[in-house]
């Protein structure tokens, strides 16, 4: 098939974006509004239902289609209800963006001291939650002839030097496993690893002028930070027909912080 710019369009597709109703100018909001601008109907999912509804209302006001779903991705019944809401509203699911995660909430956890209840909670949200959401929508993707799963990982996993990084490295491994086991169903699985993003949460995690911000400024190839919207192009590639032959990959969007051959 000759290439057409229309291959980046998502008209007729249905996407779930978890963690899309969070703080301010979040990555989840950028993902949800970006997919909607490309033509997809969006399930804006978040544990904060009011925040999810605000993003859904923003999409609808711009002429798109969206519903909000309140969901704790550690709870089977709530994840099943999210998938059912997508089915009822839009007829199924084609795209899952596993963006929900614990990050800012973690603080500086030391491996020598981290309580195992906290460790279990981090893994339950950042890793098992992504798997739980995937399991909930894979039957719909299979019935619709295929789908796209995009897991949000982090440049901080390459290498992992924090508990958060460990969870995201585990999610990277889950991504390649999904790609291998679901590929024959027409389902691709990829990951996006952002660098330092100037979302509200990112600005709190890496304040301007902090030692880590200064380190990034000296070490990255281009810019040390980027806006949430600068991740959307990578997401559209991985969600659309334009990226149909890409699976099992981690796409680093970080200005050249993590360099991998």
């Amino acid at each position: 098939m000759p290439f057409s710019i229309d291959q980046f369009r998502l008209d007729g597709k249905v996407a779930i974006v978890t963690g899309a109703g969070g703080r301010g100018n979040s990555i989840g909001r950028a993902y949800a509004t970006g997919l909607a601008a490309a033509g997809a109907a969006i399930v804006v999912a978040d544990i904060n239902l009011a925040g999810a509804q605000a993003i859904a209302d923003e999409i609808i006001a711009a002429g798109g289609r969206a519903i909000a779903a309140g969901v704790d991705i550690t709870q089977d019944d709530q994840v099943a209800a999210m998938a059912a809401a997508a089915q009822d509203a839009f007829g199924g699911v084609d795209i899952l963006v596993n963006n929900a995660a614990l990050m800012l909430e973690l603080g500086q956890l030391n491996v020598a001291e981290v309580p195992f209840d906290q460790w279990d909670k981090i893994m339950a949200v950042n890793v098992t939650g992504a798997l739980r959401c995937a399991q909930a929508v894979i039957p719909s993707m299979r019935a619709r002839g295929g789908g796209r799963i995009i897991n949000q990982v982090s440049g901080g996993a390459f290498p992992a030097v924090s508990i958060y990084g460990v969870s995201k490295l585990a999610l990277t491994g889950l991504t390649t496993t999904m790609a291998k086991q679901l590929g024959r169903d027409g389902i691709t699985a990829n990951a996006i690893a952002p660098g330092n993003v100037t979302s509200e949460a990112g600005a709190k995690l890496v304040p301007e002028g902090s030692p880590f911000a200064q380190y990034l400024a000296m070490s990255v190839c281009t810019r040390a930070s980027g806006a949430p919207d600068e991740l959307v192009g990578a997401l559209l590639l991985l969600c659309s027909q334009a990226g149909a032959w890409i699976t099992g990959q981690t796409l680093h969007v970080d200005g050249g912080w993590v360099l991998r051959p």
Side-chain angles (χ1 to χ4, degrees), residues 198-209:
T198 57
S199 61
E200 182 177 327
K204 289 180 179 178
L205 188 68
V206 185
E208 186 176 351

Side-chain angles (χ1 to χ4, degrees), residues 43-235:
V43 177
V44 183
D46 202 282
I47 197 168
N48 174 9
L49 178 57
Q53 187 63 60
I55 303 305
D57 290 344
E58 180 182 346
I59 291 170
I60 293 167
R65 297 186 299 154
I67 61 169
V71 59
D72 178 344
I73 62 170
T74 70
Q75 301 300 310
D76 285 331
D77 58 340
Q78 295 187 34
V79 171
M82 175 186 71
Q87 181 72 40
D88 293 344
F90 303 123
V93 179
D94 304 288
I95 298 163
L96 170 65
V97 183
N98 279 315
N99 172 70
L102 295 177
M103 181 183 70
L104 188 61
E105 298 86 349
L106 302 186
Q108 298 299 317
L109 295 174
N110 190 298
V111 292
E113 301 166 352
V114 58
F116 282 104
D117 60 341
Q118 286 187 264
W119 171 274
D120 291 343
K121 182 178 180 181
I122 293 161
M123 296 302 167
V125 175
N126 291 9
V127 185
T128 310
L131 176 59
R132 183 172 279 112
C133 291
Q135 288 185 349
V137 302
I138 285 169
S140 179
M141 290 182 175
R142 284 173 170 157
R144 291 163 74 87
R148 306 282 187 266
I149 298 173
I150 295 85
N151 295 322
Q152 182 88 329
V153 296
S154 171
F158 303 92
V161 293
S162 66
I163 301 298
Y164 173 74
V166 170
S167 73
K168 291 301 186 178
L169 189 57
L171 184 55
T172 304
L174 181 60
T175 302
T176 56
T177 302
M178 288 177 171
K180 184 67 174 178
Q181 296 185 2
L182 300 174
R184 298 300 182 184
D185 294 320
I187 299 171
T188 66
N190 293 286
I192 294 174
N196 183 36
V197 178
T198 57
S199 61
E200 182 177 327
K204 289 180 179 178
L205 188 68
V206 185
E208 186 176 351
S210 66
F212 187 65
Q214 294 175 30
Y215 157 75
L216 286 175
M218 292 185 294
S219 60
V220 301
C221 297
T222 58
R223 287 181 284 116
S225 60
D229 285 340
E230 293 184 83
L231 302 172
V232 175
L235 180 66

